[in-house]
Amino acid sequence: MDALYSLFIEPFQGNSYLLRAVVAGCLVAISSGVVGCLIILRRMAFLGDAISHSMLAGVTGGYLLMKVVYGHEAHFAGMILGALLAGFTTVLMVSFVSRVSRVKEDTAIGIMYTGIFALGGALASMFSHYIHLDLFHFVMGDVLAVDAERLWMMAGVTAVVLFVTILWFRQLLLTSFDPIMAASIGLPVLLIHMLMTTCTSLVVVSAVQIVGVILVVGLLITPAATAYLLTNRLSHMMALSALFGVSSVICGVYLSVWLNVATSPPIVLFSTFQFMVVLVFSPNFGLLSTWIRKRAAIPQTLAEDILGCMRRSEGLETSLATIIANVPTDGQSLRRTLDRMVTRGLIEPKDNDAYQLTESGELEARRLMRAHRIWEAYLARLGMPEEEIHDRAHLLEHVNDEAAVDYLDDRLGHPITDPHGQEIPEDFVHLVPGKEVHASLLREGHVAEVTLVVPEGSFDLEIGDRLTTGPRTDNEQTWTFQVNDSTMYLHLNHHQADSITVRLVDTPEAHN
């Protein structure tokens, strides 16, 4: 008990500066964590480093102005205003150069911040007889030297950042993820961007007091990156980032006391330690969980080759010998994949070392066959030699992107057969009774009710009319529909069929 007391309580007894340092550090950590999340989402991590380095010119200029013009030595407010002005100038110059030239933003940041930082160094050297700055503390920070004036400044910055974030959270969220959409709905994207960079400048100016110019990016980015590995929601990410920042400050201060070292490095070191721990153990995005998922996952290409082989058995049992003969792989991988497919419910084992597709396995095999034959139709449309189509489609069918397959199916006009004359399975994901689809997806025998016609009244159709799909004609380019079981028939092309939305009522499979 005495050991715990001496470790955690005794350092703060009679050391008000240490308690003030922890409070100041926590305030900066909260504001840094919130702004850092926006910086990460906008991929602007380098901007914080640029602003912190450009502060040297601002601090030097503010010091000189107050010393030469007003006769004040090391006037805090003048140096802070100078630092903010230098930060704003850096941001404006970066935006200007990246917008009016072919130079990208990351390159413009590298050019501008080094130039302004060099200007600050030149001023400090030229007027060294006027300026008495502790450059070591400016570079490395000194949280223990925080006085009441600086503490109030940090509290004010934190309050402003939290106020701006809460008030304009939705706008900041939308412009961070999709600035084009934000602009299309009328949001002032540039103004919001400048507001965010202003908050970044305020945070950097206050954070430099804690960890210095060199390590400020660590306090700004690392807690936010740690939170990014744990959640997909921005609000949760900001809260976790602030929590990681506060824990870094508290633990970093304790480490500096126990190890008798400068305070700033332990703060950033502990923040980095937190990141590495989360990187390994994050339940969703950590290295360990990813390794476990990959080890437990079924190899996609091998599993789909097995499904394709078993699909050709047309619902009958498939012997292990047949699978081995048709699926090129080693025996150990094959056996492990078969076991995992049984666990996943895609296949079920039978007697005599045979397997059979389950209902879900049959659906997955049909999906795979549909993708394969649509890719074959697409490659044939591109003019690929017939002898190469099958092998190339076999590779492309493993691209697990249903949206891409649906897009190709639509562009090809929803073909019924592939170049070899084999039937392409229907889109069983969308063709479900009760679901609304375009009429162009219907196959022969499908029955559906009209729910929308664009423009209204086209083809003499009304909402609720019943369409029975007939066979395709004209090389599958014309859809035939019988209206309300009458003698009225519609013969539509692909575009016209797409203009009719229907709710599927019945499918041929329902009667099998």
Side-chain angles (χ1 to χ4, degrees):
M1 197 69 176
D2 291 338
L4 293 176
Y5 181 85
S6 62
L7 281 175
F8 295 101
I9 305 300
E10 189 175 314
F12 289 94
Q13 290 186 333
N15 296 325
S16 60
Y17 68 89
L18 197 59
L19 182 61
R20 192 162 54 240
V22 171
V23 174
C26 290
L27 288 172
V28 172
I30 293 171
S31 57
S32 297
V34 171
V35 172
C37 293
L38 297 173
I39 290 176
I40 283 181
L41 294 178
R42 292 168 180 257
R43 300 180 180 180
M44 295 169 55
F46 200 23
L47 181 64
D49 196 29
I51 294 174
S52 66
H53 280 75
S54 67
M55 280 179 56
L56 179 60
V59 169
T60 305
Y63 192 108
L64 282 173
L65 179 66
M66 299 305 295
K67 173 70 175 179
V68 175
V69 178
Y70 298 102
H72 294 292
E73 184 80 26
H75 194 270
F76 176 70
M79 291 190 293
I80 290 298
L81 289 175
L84 286 174
L85 183 60
F88 294 151
T89 302
T90 303
V91 172
L92 290 173
M93 291 298 293
V94 167
S95 299
F96 175 76
V97 171
S98 61
R99 288 177 184 272
V100 302
S101 70
R102 63 182 297 184
V103 174
K104 301 297 182 183
E105 189 173 57
D106 57 341
T107 307
I109 289 175
I111 295 170
M112 290 302 154
Y113 101 77
T114 52
I116 295 177
F117 183 70
L119 175 63
L123 288 174
S125 177
M126 288 173 59
F127 298 96
S128 57
H129 54 289
Y130 285 117
I131 299 175
H132 304 96
L133 285 176
D134 188 348
L135 290 180
F136 176 79
H137 286 156
F138 179 77
V139 172
M140 296 300 295
D142 188 8
V143 67
L144 300 180
V146 173
D147 54 20
E149 186 179 7
R150 287 172 171 81
L151 188 61
W152 280 110
M153 185 270 291
M154 294 170 185
V157 167
T158 303
V160 169
V161 169
L162 293 179
F163 175 78
V164 169
T165 303
I166 294 171
L167 191 61
W168 285 288
F169 179 78
R170 293 185 180 276
Q171 291 84 344
L172 290 167
L173 174 66
L174 186 55
T175 54
S176 295
F177 282 102
D178 196 340
I180 296 176
M181 179 182 175
S184 69
I185 64 175
L187 289 180
V189 176
L190 182 59
L191 182 62
I192 294 172
H193 177 74
M194 293 307 299
L195 181 66
M196 196 275 291
T197 52
T198 299
C199 289
T200 304
S201 298
L202 289 170
V203 169
V204 168
V205 168
S206 60
V208 165
Q209 304 287 321
I210 305 298
V211 292
V213 169
I214 302 299
L215 301 178
V216 68
V217 177
L219 195 59
L220 192 65
I221 301 301
T222 308
T226 307
Y228 187 58
L229 293 174
L230 293 173
T231 180
N232 288 320
R233 296 180 63 88
L234 180 58
S235 56
H236 296 170
M237 181 180 170
M238 287 180 170
L240 286 173
S241 178
L243 181 62
F244 283 125
V246 168
S247 62
S248 297
V249 169
I250 294 174
C251 295
V253 169
Y254 271 117
L255 287 173
S256 70
V257 172
W258 296 338
L259 302 176
N260 194 26
V261 296
T263 310
S264 305
I267 292 175
V268 178
L269 279 174
F270 192 83
S271 182
T272 305
F273 169 74
Q274 288 181 136
F275 173 80
M276 297 305 297
V277 171
V278 172
L279 177 64
V280 174
F281 296 105
S282 172
N284 294 321
F285 309 107
L287 298 178
L288 183 60
S289 61
T290 302
W291 177 78
I292 292 174
R293 282 197 300 271
K294 287 182 177 179
R295 185 170 179 80
I298 299 174
Q300 179 187 340
T301 303
L302 181 56
E304 290 178 349
D305 285 343
I306 294 171
L307 289 173
C309 172
M310 297 181 68
R311 169 69 176 169
R312 290 191 285 272
S313 299
E314 298 183 350
L316 302 176
E317 297 178 6
T318 306
S319 66
L320 181 59
T322 302
I323 297 174
I324 293 173
N326 289 274
V327 179
T329 185
D330 62 274
Q332 183 179 0
S333 298
L334 180 62
R335 179 65 71 177
R336 184 170 60 247
T337 303
L338 287 170
D339 291 341
R340 291 176 183 173
M341 291 175 72
V342 170
T343 304
R344 288 271 299 272
L346 296 174
I347 60 176
E348 55 184 356
K350 297 294 183 179
D351 296 332
N352 301 321
D353 224 5
Y355 295 89
Q356 187 173 17
L357 289 174
T358 61
E359 184 177 350
S360 60
E362 182 71 29
L363 290 175
E364 183 66 16
R366 287 176 61 192
R367 180 199 68 79
L368 184 66
M369 181 183 292
R370 176 174 178 265
H372 177 90
R373 291 180 178 174
I374 287 176
W375 276 112
E376 284 190 332
Y378 176 70
L379 294 173
R381 180 75 63 87
L382 292 179
M384 178 172 287
E386 185 176 352
E387 63 273 10
E388 298 179 16
I389 288 177
H390 178 79
D391 292 337
R392 185 62 61 88
H394 179 71
L395 295 175
L396 293 171
E397 71 185 25
H398 299 298
V399 178
N400 193 17
D401 188 348
E402 287 300 306
V405 174
D406 290 341
Y407 173 78
L408 291 178
D409 185 39
D410 183 64
R411 295 293 294 176
L412 292 168
H414 307 292
I416 298 175
T417 57
D418 67 6
H420 308 295
Q422 295 176 308
E423 182 182 3
I424 298 175
E426 66 183 36
D427 185 357
F428 59 89
V429 174
H430 297 100
L431 291 175
V432 178
K435 194 168 186 177
E436 292 190 354
V437 295
H438 291 302
S440 60
L441 284 174
L442 300 179
R443 296 281 185 93
E444 184 177 2
H446 285 154
V447 180
E449 289 183 354
V450 176
T451 59
L452 178 67
V453 182
V454 181
E456 186 176 352
S458 298
F459 318 116
D460 294 325
L461 287 176
E462 296 181 358
I463 305 303
D465 281 348
R466 194 177 185 91
L467 301 181
T468 302
T469 313
R472 294 262 199 99
T473 57
D474 299 332
N475 292 323
E476 302 182 2
Q477 299 303 308
T478 301
W479 280 254
T480 303
F481 299 103
Q482 184 183 15
V483 182
N484 294 326
D485 297 325
S486 67
T487 57
M488 177 182 173
Y489 285 85
L490 295 177
H491 302 281
L492 309 177
N493 60 31
H494 182 202
H495 176 71
Q496 291 170 329
D498 265 345
S499 69
I500 303 172
T501 303
V502 297
R503 180 183 295 110
L504 193 61
V505 176
D506 198 7
T507 64
E509 288 78 4
H511 304 287
N512 294 337

